[in-house]
Amino acid sequence: MCWLTWGARSLGLRLDCKGSSTADVWLRVEPDGAGRFDVYGTVYSDDSDVWSWRMLHNDDLSYKGEVQASDNEKSFRIQRSMVDLAGVDDIVFRAANTATDEVCRAEVEVD
């Protein structure tokens, strides 16, 4: 399932995760008005496993890390800032469950 929303100042995409019937991923990109994007990557899951995640900007690695989903919420959110480059910006958020090999990936292009 896929939801794509365009707000006045943001672009959001929500997708199901590969290899999972319960997890899904949300990627939201918001221009901050100062030449940067606020990028939010969220995974909603049914476990509290450790997830390895990364954010790409025009195929270059911008950020990466590992996080454990919250016991109460069974989800996690990563927020980072990226420079708004000239032309189209391709932003990818990817997270992989280190225990189950579930992969969540969302990609948006911002012009």
Side-chain angles (χ1 to χ4, degrees), residues 93-104:
F93 175 66
R94 182 186 187 278
N97 185 316
T98 60
T100 66
D101 294 326
E102 293 169 273
V103 175
C104 299

Side-chain angles (χ1 to χ4, degrees), residues 31-46:
D32 71 358
R36 300 185 70 80
F37 294 116
D38 291 324
V39 180
Y40 304 85
T42 306
V43 172
Y44 301 94
S45 181
D46 63 351

Side-chain angles (χ1 to χ4, degrees), residues 7-83:
R9 297 185 37 84
S10 67
L11 177 65
L13 177 67
R14 187 168 183 170
L15 300 166
D16 294 332
C17 297
K18 183 179 178 184
S20 173
S21 61
T22 58
D24 56 47
V25 61
W26 173 261
L27 175 60
R28 188 174 83 210
V29 179
E30 296 180 355
D32 71 358
R36 300 185 70 80
F37 294 116
D38 291 324
V39 180
Y40 304 85
T42 306
V43 172
Y44 301 94
S45 181
D46 63 351
D47 58 52
S48 56
D49 292 339
V50 174
W51 291 75
S52 176
W53 63 269
R54 65 181 176 215
M55 287 185 177
L56 304 175
H57 188 185
N58 293 346
D59 293 325
D60 291 325
L61 180 65
S62 291
Y63 302 100
K64 69 178 182 175
E66 285 191 344
V67 65
Q68 185 170 10
S70 167
D71 285 332
N72 295 336
E73 299 294 322
K74 307 245 172 149
S75 66
F76 65 89
R77 177 173 42 184
I78 307 298
Q79 178 183 353
R80 297 293 185 267
S81 180
M82 295 183 183
V83 174

